[in-house]
């Protein structure tokens, strides 16, 4: 092969390598951009909900209900995840939490629709708001019951661990005490006996 052909081949290989790197870079940028867009949309939605909740009227009340529900579900999820990390037997509780989260998402969507309608129109169905409040109360009560049960389990585990630690502490303290000297005990017993004889008339 001629020197020009070799140089041309090296240039083509370098260009192909650079094109491959550029393709991978573009792919990564698109993926990161999509994730960033989703995160930005979620942050905007949360910010909008917080701003709308500061007002007055039915729409603001419903936005506050949405914030309360999200907080309750988040706290419950954190409690279940902590229990899983500590290796507790949770049974079907993680599946129940997934179903509860799905139902909370549905309820959140319904609250969002009601709040939007309440903001743009004075004519909203107040009976529906009553039903939404009832559903909210049921969902938040379930979250609170799950957290209370997990906290009770945690306190029980802690009590068991404290009892074990207390017993080990007693054993360690006892083991650190010097063993009694048998000769000293015999000497003390002899001395007391002699003292008792002297005191007898």
């Amino acid at each position: 092969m001629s020197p020009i052909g070799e140089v041309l081949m090296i240039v083509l290989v370098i260009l192909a390598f650079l094109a491959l790197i550029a393709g991978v870079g573009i792919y990564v940028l698109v993926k990161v951009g999509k994730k960033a867009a989703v995160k930005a949309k979620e942050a905007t939605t949360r910010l909008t909900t917080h701003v709308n909740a500061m007002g007055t009227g039915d729409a603001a009340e419903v936005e506050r209900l949405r914030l309360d529900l999200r907080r309750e579900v988040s706290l419950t999820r954190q409690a279940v995840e902590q229990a899983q990390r500590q290796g507790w037997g949770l049974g079907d509780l993680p599946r129940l939490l997934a179903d509860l989260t799905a139902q909370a998402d549905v309820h959140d969507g319904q609250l969002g629709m009601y709040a939007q309608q309440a903001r743009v129109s004075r004519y909203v169905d107040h009976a529906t708001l009553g039903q939404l409040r009832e559903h909210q109360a049921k969902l938040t009560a379930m979250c609170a019951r799950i957290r209370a049960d997990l906290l009770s389990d945690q306190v029980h585990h802690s009590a068991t661990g404290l009892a074990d630690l207390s017993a080990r502490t007693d054993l360690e303290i006892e083991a650190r005490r010097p063993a009694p000297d048998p000769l000293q005990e015999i000497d003390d017993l002899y001395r007391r006996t002699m003292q008792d004889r002297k005191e007898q008339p």
Side-chain angles (χ1 to χ4, degrees):
M1 185 178 279
S2 68
I4 295 176
E6 289 178 6
V7 170
L8 189 59
M9 183 64 77
I10 291 171
V11 169
L12 287 175
V13 168
I14 290 172
L15 287 176
F17 182 71
L18 290 175
L20 178 67
I21 290 176
V24 170
I26 290 171
Y27 175 77
V28 169
L29 285 175
V30 168
K31 292 289 271 185
V32 169
K34 284 183 180 178
K35 285 185 180 180
V38 169
K39 295 281 186 188
K41 185 177 179 183
E42 290 174 0
T44 303
T45 303
R46 282 196 302 269
L47 181 62
T48 303
T49 303
H50 280 281
V51 170
N52 290 336
M54 293 180 194
T56 58
D58 288 345
E61 178 192 350
V62 170
E63 295 292 358
R64 287 191 291 273
L65 289 176
R66 293 178 77 189
L67 292 173
D68 288 343
L69 181 62
R70 290 175 188 171
R71 183 176 54 249
E72 290 292 321
V73 171
S74 176
L75 288 171
T76 306
R77 184 181 304 111
Q78 289 172 11
V80 170
E81 288 171 356
Q82 180 183 4
Q84 283 178 319
R85 281 193 302 272
Q86 293 176 352
W88 299 357
L90 296 179
D92 204 31
L93 193 57
R95 180 70 204 143
L96 174 68
L97 178 63
D99 294 342
L100 181 76
T101 303
Q103 187 63 44
D105 289 341
V106 170
H107 183 66
D108 183 68
Q110 293 168 349
L111 289 171
M113 284 191 297
Y114 187 91
Q116 184 179 13
Q117 290 174 11
R119 276 193 298 274
V120 298
S121 172
R122 291 182 294 133
Y123 306 104
V124 291
D125 183 9
H126 292 285
T128 302
L129 180 57
Q131 288 181 324
L132 288 172
R133 285 184 186 128
E134 288 176 17
H135 294 171
Q136 173 92 6
K138 288 178 183 176
L139 287 167
T140 54
M142 283 186 276
C143 288
R145 286 173 53 204
I146 290 171
R147 289 197 313 273
D149 182 63
L150 289 173
L151 182 59
S152 175
D153 276 358
Q154 186 177 17
V155 169
H156 175 72
H157 283 289
S158 296
T160 304
L162 286 172
D164 179 52
L165 188 59
S166 178
R168 286 176 45 210
T169 302
D170 291 342
L171 287 173
E172 183 62 29
I173 290 172
E174 189 63 34
R176 290 177 49 80
R177 288 187 182 148
D181 184 7
L183 294 175
Q184 183 66 36
E185 289 182 351
I186 292 171
D187 190 39
D188 289 343
L189 184 60
Y190 177 74
R191 199 173 305 120
R192 270 182 287 176
T193 305
M194 294 304 290
Q195 187 69 27
D196 289 345
R197 284 187 187 167
K198 286 182 186 176
E199 291 175 356
Q200 289 177 0

